[in-house]
Amino acid sequence: SQTIHQWPATLVQPVGSPLSLECTVEGTSNPNLYWYRQAAGRGLQLLFYSVGIGQISSEVPQNLSASRPQDRQFILSSKKLLLSDSGFYLCAWSYYRTSGRANEQFFGPGTRLTVL
Amino acid sequence: GENVEQHPSTLSVQEGDSAVIKCTYSDSASNYFPWYKQELGKRPQLIIDIRSNVGEKKDQRIAVTLNKTAKHFSLHITETQPEDSAVYFCAASSPGGGADGLTFGKGTHLIIQP
């Protein structure tokens, strides 16, 4: 069966510090990978998605970047955190889309980031 | 890009009654509409989804309806139970680029009153 891991689970960082969040998927190959951010309370915003190694698409301009160094590894980074980067960061995966059919997305447990 | 509106933001119903949450979307090319349930501090979990070639789908106490012409879809929960209390999100997926990033509504906090 497939599983998705994220770490760390929680993180408290000062403004201006760097960030690295990691997501890995097990039990499948060539997944689509996604990073979402959820602001306090509710609302999920798509930040990045990837259809393959080294292929990253950004949905919104921001202080963050993403990389996919391996097939089942997705990393979210920042060189200098802002207060507004606080939130719940969720990684998700789906099977690679075939025949024009979108696929169910499975979410990881999330990382709660607080920037002070 | 896609824009998804979700209503109401908060819904309180008596245990045993039905709950309905409604969403509209803007991109007529969107073809996949999942609903997620998120309990406090946890990850969103898919509860039901519908594709654009289907008008209705049921799974026990949960059903989703889709009106492509009007570009809206709804979640129906019957015989609500305390464990249905959570935040529910609708989403829409527009095809493109080989991936299907979801555009989410802002969520509905469903409260089941005992």
Side-chain angles (χ1 to χ4, degrees), chain A residues 36 43-46 105 107, chain B residues 3-6 34 36 44 89-92 101-107:
Chain A
Y36 291 89
L44 295 98
Q45 180 186 35
L46 177 64
Q105 292 188 19
F107 285 87
Chain B
N3 182 52
V4 177
E5 299 284 342
Q6 183 172 349
Y36 286 85
F89 293 96
C90 63
L102 295 171
T103 300
F104 283 85
K106 293 187 176 180

Side-chain angles (χ1 to χ4, degrees), chain A residues 10 15 40 84 96:
Chain A
T10 59
V15 169
S84 57
Y96 188 83

Side-chain angles (χ1 to χ4, degrees), chain A residues 4 32 34 36 38 41-44 46 49-51 88 90 96-97 100-109 112, chain B residues 9-10 31-32 36 38 41-44 46 49 51 87 89 93 95-102 104-107 109:
Chain A
I4 178 170
N32 289 343
Y34 311 85
Y36 291 89
Q38 186 170 31
R42 56 183 71 169
L44 295 98
L46 177 64
Y49 67 87
S50 172
V51 299
F88 191 40
L90 291 154
Y96 188 83
R97 180 165 63 91
R101 287 171 58 87
N103 293 307
E104 174 184 354
Q105 292 188 19
F106 303 89
F107 285 87
R112 193 163 302 280
Chain B
S9 57
T10 303
N31 56 15
Y32 176 64
Y36 286 85
Q38 187 177 29
K42 297 189 177 181
R43 75 185 85 183
L46 181 79
D49 56 13
R51 300 186 185 276
V87 179
F89 293 96
S93 177
D100 302 288
L102 295 171
F104 283 85
K106 293 187 176 180
H109 186 191

Side-chain angles (χ1 to χ4, degrees), chain B residues 37-53:
Chain B
K37 175 183 180 181
Q38 187 177 29
E39 297 176 350
L40 189 62
K42 297 189 177 181
R43 75 185 85 183
Q45 300 271 16
L46 181 79
I47 55 172
I48 196 167
D49 56 13
I50 192 168
R51 300 186 185 276
S52 58
N53 59 344

Side-chain angles (χ1 to χ4, degrees), chain A residues 12-43:
Chain A
V12 179
Q13 292 284 95
V15 169
S17 63
L19 174 74
S20 181
L21 303 181
E22 189 165 345
C23 170
T24 58
V25 180
E26 297 177 353
T28 188
S29 297
N30 194 31
N32 289 343
L33 295 172
Y34 311 85
W35 279 111
Y36 291 89
R37 176 169 60 198
Q38 186 170 31
R42 56 183 71 169

